Amino acid sequence: MRYIGESETPALVSVADFKSAGHIGADDVVDDAPMESLLAVAQAVVCDATGIPPAAGLYEFTWPVMGREWRRWWFPCRPVTGIVEVAVNDATGAFVAQSLDGMQLVQGYDEPQLLLPANWSGFGDDVHTIRIQATVGSDAPPPQLGQAITLIAREWHNAGILIEGEGPAPRLGFTGKRLIKQVRYARPRVAAPC
């Protein structure tokens, strides 16, 4: 899953909100940049772990075809509100857009699925990858996302963990994990015949 929208993804927790929630005074922090970085990484961790983007936007998914026995493909995230494009590779590897006639988005808010029409001819002999572009996310994500981001960033901030360079990833605390678990989406399957 890759964000390809034109606007920048919004921060679910601003530095000002983070400071307020953590009772951090204006004089306690000289430079907000490390805190912005900390919040951005915490947001990426939470959104990846839950399968819920921070806001509605255009995302791209690529998946190896691996045979032609499927018509139904589950998205790895939710909600999905629209299919924008479905393309398959040609003999040179370039993607060729397919007609959306007969394609359906099923259960977009619960278990989002792309359903290809029964007579779809997109799986040719040279096709090995399908690319799906869809509008994903909501302008009102679950409040647990912001709470989890705040808690995780606060734990890292209090522990003096800087999100720079290489090294082991910081661990998530119990409360942050519980909030993530409350809203986590795990697709039930990847693909099925129909």
Side-chain angles (χ1 to χ4, degrees), residues 10-86:
L12 292 177
V13 178
S14 69
V15 171
D17 290 341
F18 179 71
K19 286 179 178 179
S20 175
H23 305 291
I24 301 170
D27 297 336
D28 295 340
V29 177
V30 177
D31 184 11
D32 286 346
M35 204 167 286
E36 286 174 2
S37 177
L38 193 69
L39 287 167
V41 172
Q43 178 169 305
V45 166
V46 169
C47 291
D48 286 349
T50 60
I52 301 173
L58 185 60
Y59 287 81
E60 182 176 272
F61 307 84
T62 54
W63 194 59
V65 172
M66 297 170 44
R68 292 151 182 80
E69 69 278 353
W70 63 273
R71 281 187 47 223
R72 185 179 300 266
W73 182 79
W74 278 262
F75 284 86
C77 58
R78 72 171 177 199
V80 177
T81 57
I83 306 295
V84 175
E85 180 186 83
V86 174

